[in-house]
Structures are given as structure tokens and as C-alpha cells.
């Protein structure tokens, strides 16, 4: 029985539309955009799948966290639709996807994703992080968030002053990574993050300053 599923209905136009929305999200950190042109591969969320369909190719190895790596449907569809090799070495990956079910236990302190180099900072790993589908990404003030939610106050290029992004409930280790990544990675080195919840995405490029706030 085949594990190959459908991707974009119109591969050219759908991928172009998703690419434009991803470009908007990356140039306007914290801005929410919706990718609704395709279902997910296996258990992979819709927006994560569409990000790979739009950006990856046979020259961009993809690293998958444990749950997704074990999913044959995801692996085979990535190879078939994207043409991308799946790598188990984080530093070799152009893109990485951390599954929703793996995020709570993911070891950010020992992650070895590529940071790029001074000559080619674009060779860093773009990391797609699947957040809970139940607590969607959202904008708004800290006062309007639910108990236990984490909000990010964002500033930097592409943001007029500050913006607030709700990311739901995430681990303390992920919070510490978000808070301290500018201290650990000297620009232009670093990784860009694509946060997804079902078909919604928000991007945190390496230039975005992040302040983590919790709602008690």
C-alpha cells in the first residue's frame, strides 16, 4: 500500500502563494499568516508541511525529530514531493522540524543545528517548531492570554516598535532558548525559527529580540 499522499493541488501557484506568505512572515516577525493550500504529511502539521513544500528541494537536507522520523508517511512524502534527503545529523540540515509531541523534551542546550558562517550565514538551519494545535498562535496583550500561556514581546528589524505573540504552553527550556539566543549566537550567525500551529505560522528570524513573559 502506497504511503504517498497529495500535496499542493496546483504545485506552481500554490507554492508561489505559500512562498509569498512565508516571506511576509519572515520580514514581519510575529505577524500571523495562514497556509491553507495542503494537508499535512502524516502527523506533520499543515503549515510545517507547506513550508517544506515551498522552500525545500533536492539540495536541502531535512532533519526530523524522533516522532516524525519514525513516521514512514512523512519520510516518503518528503522524498517524493520535495526531493529532499532526510538526515539524522542536525548540523547537516538546511531545515529541521520539531514535532509537537517532541517539543516538551527537546534538548535545546545540546542542539547542533548549523549557524552558518561569516561568508555564508544563509547556510544555517531553519528550524520549524510545531506548537500545540489546541492553543493557537495569537497576537495581543499579555493581559488577554490564558493561564499558563507564554507570550513573547518582540522587537527589532521589521517591527515598528514592539509586538506581542502568544505561543501557548511550552517548556522552560524552549523559553530559555528563545530568551537567550541573541547572547549565544553573534550576528550574522544564528538560526531562523518558524513557529507553526496547525495552518498558522509566525516567524522569528535571528535578528528578532525576544522577551519571554508568562501568564500566571
Amino acid at each position: 500500500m502506497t504511503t504517498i499522499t497529495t500535496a499542493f493541488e496546483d504545485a506552481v501557484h500554490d507554492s508561489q502563494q505559500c512562498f509569498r506568505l512565508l516571506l511576509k512572515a519572515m520580514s514581519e516577525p510575529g505577524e500571523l499568516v495562514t497556509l491553507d493550500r495542503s494537508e499535512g504529511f502524516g502527523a506533520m502539521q499543515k503549515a510545517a508541511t507547506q513550508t517544506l513544500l515551498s522552500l525545500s528541494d533536492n539540495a536541502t537536507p531535512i532533519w526530523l525529530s524522533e516522532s516524525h522520523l519514525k513516521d514512514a508517511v512523512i519520510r516518503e512524502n518528503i522524498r517524493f514531493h520535495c526531493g529532499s534527503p532526510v538526515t539524522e545529523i542536525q548540523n547537516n540540515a538546511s531545515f529541521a522540524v520539531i514535532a509537537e509531541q517532541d517539543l516538551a523534551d527537546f534538548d535545546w542546550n545540546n542542539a547542533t543545528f548549523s549557524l552558518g558562517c561569516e561568508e555564508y550565514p544563509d547556510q544555517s538551519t531553519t528550524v520549524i517548531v510545531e506548537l500545540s494545535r489546541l492553543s493557537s498562535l495569537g497576537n495581543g496583550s499579555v493581559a488577554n492570554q490564558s493561564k499558563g500561556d507564554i507570550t513573547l514581546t518582540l522587537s527589532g528589524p521589521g517591527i515598528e516598535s514592539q509586538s506581542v505573540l502568544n505561543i501557548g504552553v511550552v517548556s522552560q527550556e524552549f523559553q530559555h532558548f528563545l530568551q537567550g539566543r541573541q547572547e549565544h549566537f553573534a550576528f550574522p550567525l544564528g538560526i531562523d525559527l518558524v513557529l507553526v500551529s496547525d495552518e498558522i505560522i509566525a516567524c522569528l528570524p535571528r535578528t528578532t529580540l525576544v522577551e519571554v513573559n508568562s501568564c500566571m
Side-chain angles (χ1 to χ4, degrees):
M1 183 175 179
T2 182
T3 59
I4 302 301
T5 60
T6 57
F8 289 140
E9 184 174 338
D10 185 330
V12 174
H13 291 95
D14 288 346
S15 63
Q16 288 177 343
Q17 174 67 8
C18 287
F19 179 82
R20 285 192 290 268
L21 289 170
L22 285 162
L23 185 62
K24 174 180 175 63
M26 192 62 74
S27 62
E28 302 176 30
E31 181 74 14
L32 302 179
V33 302
T34 301
L35 303 184
D36 58 2
R37 300 301 179 107
S38 172
E39 296 297 316
F41 293 153
M44 185 179 288
Q45 293 190 20
K46 296 177 184 177
T49 295
Q50 292 172 83
T51 299
L52 294 181
L53 284 169
S54 303
L55 300 181
S56 64
D57 56 30
N58 60 8
T60 57
I62 296 171
W63 180 90
L64 302 171
S65 67
E66 184 176 4
S67 296
H68 283 352
L69 184 62
K70 291 180 177 178
D71 190 328
V73 175
I74 294 175
R75 297 196 312 272
E76 293 306 315
N77 277 279
I78 285 175
R79 292 191 182 103
F80 181 81
H81 290 292
C82 304
S84 304
V86 174
T87 180
E88 295 188 34
I89 302 173
Q90 291 180 349
N91 191 55
N92 288 348
S94 299
F95 296 96
V97 184
I98 300 175
E100 174 186 346
Q101 51 268 53
D102 297 331
L103 181 57
D105 297 320
F106 186 76
D107 187 357
W108 290 96
N109 289 328
N110 291 310
T112 57
F113 298 123
S114 174
L115 305 179
C117 62
E118 294 285 346
E119 294 82 5
Y120 301 103
D122 58 309
Q123 292 183 350
S124 64
T125 305
T126 297
V127 181
I128 302 166
V129 180
E130 294 186 341
L131 304 176
S132 171
R133 303 174 205 239
L134 301 178
S135 53
S136 297
L137 285 163
N139 296 125
S141 66
V142 175
N144 293 330
Q145 309 309 326
S146 302
K147 181 179 179 180
D149 279 359
I150 299 300
T151 62
L152 309 178
T153 301
L154 310 177
S155 60
I159 303 172
E160 184 174 351
S161 177
Q162 289 185 333
S163 64
V164 175
L165 180 68
N166 177 36
I167 62 172
V169 178
V170 297
S171 68
Q172 287 192 343
E173 190 168 351
F174 186 42
Q175 295 175 47
H176 292 157
F177 172 79
L178 291 171
Q179 183 83 49
R181 64 183 185 140
Q182 268 80 20
E183 300 173 7
H184 296 135
F185 310 139
F187 185 80
L189 306 187
I191 61 173
D192 300 318
L193 297 175
V194 179
L195 307 182
V196 310
S197 177
D198 196 22
E199 59 184 22
I200 308 297
I201 75 164
C203 293
L204 300 178
R206 69 195 70 184
T207 54
T208 302
L209 300 175
V210 177
E211 179 182 343
V212 177
N213 315 287
S214 61
C215 296
M216 306 301 292

